[in-house]
Amino acid sequence: MLVIASPFLMEILFFGTNNSYDLGLKSLEKSLSLLFFPLFIIGNYQRIQFHKILKAYCMGTTFIMTFFFVRFIILDPEHFFKYLNGIHLWEMGYVFSDSIGIHAPALNMHLAFVAFSNIYFLFEPSNINENKWFKIRNLTLFILSFFFVLYVNTRMALLATLVGFMTVGYFQISKRYSFKVIFKKAIITLILSGSVLFLFLQKDPYMKEKYSTQIFSNMDKVGKLDEINHPEIAVYSSFVTRLSIWKSAWELSLKNLPFGVGASDGKTELIKYFKETNQIFLTKYEFPTHNQFLDYLLKFGILGPIVALLYIGFIAFMGFKTKNPVIISFFFLFFTSNLTDDFLLRFDGIVFSGLWISIFASYWLQQKNKLTVT
């Protein structure tokens, strides 16, 4: 409970470093769920039905996304058919996410979790003897969830999804049950997911550019993005932009050691630093840190990244203790996502991680105490 609540407890510890107590309380309020989730969920861990909750979450999220996708086609056909015809594909995932009211990388982090969880249920031993309609349902849920990951199309989420697929496949095959059935399912799943990916690559030429040349373009312009013509178009989502932000965040963090600038002042001080160092592009778009470990270093000083690593690393500990591929894949997803973004800065990222870490902890405690909860 203390590990899960550690970001909240750290905000209390460093509350006095905030320039504004009102903004400090607002920042503290965002992480309050990290105190209540472990208290109520882990406090009743014997009653938590991990697989039922996960399955309901995956089905619900996939159905909700299907509704939003159909709504997007009906209410915004101009954008949809423009993307269908290969025009302005660089904005596709962000426009679709904005129509729902959520930031694209945050949305795709949820969708990646759903995608590799759906493939987990597809391979789960308890589902092998289901009738054909349940099998078709599980396969449809998997294909739809993978489609949505590709449609929103953010790099780290797609990487985490593919790693999650491999992790689930490895753990399920290594259980050595009904190898013939598992092999058949693996082949079918591989063909279907490969077909979805192939169709996207054929219909989305920008995807090839995004995952190849664009990632590492203009690497000689770190900290000098204003020398690039139209950086909004050329490097808005490139690695060089992240590196320029990280460089500034690191320099500012070193100036404010050992206790940081305060939980509510991290982004404000970083934008001020962009302005002081004449970085017009970064100042204009007011980029946050885009790295959770650097964000905590800037806000809380030396203790910050240690607590971030403890909080995220606890997921890996539980995953390997339970030998559950979904929890291990969730760790990889959340860890890599926070290397290029700062999801403990966002309310949805805090709630998403706090809720599932508490559920994972309950599942681990059940196994540890040899309880059977279906």
Side-chain angles (χ1 to χ4, degrees), residues 218 221 224-236:
N218 296 290
K221 301 297 183 183
K224 300 178 286 184
L225 298 178
D226 298 306
E227 296 179 8
I228 302 170
N229 289 327
H230 304 296
E232 295 91 345
I233 299 171
V235 295
Y236 191 90

Side-chain angles (χ1 to χ4, degrees), residues 120-130 172 175 177 182 185:
Y120 170 76
F121 288 118
L122 199 61
F123 283 88
E124 186 60 13
S126 60
N127 296 331
I128 285 178
N129 296 320
E130 285 182 342
Q172 298 300 75
K175 289 180 180 178
Y177 60 81
I182 289 299
K185 281 196 172 191

Side-chain angles (χ1 to χ4, degrees), residues 11 13 48 100 103 122 127 139 184 192 279 315 321 359 373:
E11 293 224 19
L13 180 64
I48 299 300
I100 300 174
H103 186 47
L122 199 61
N127 296 331
L139 194 59
K184 182 180 176 182
L192 288 172
Q279 299 184 81
I315 308 169
K321 281 290 185 180
I359 292 171
V373 182

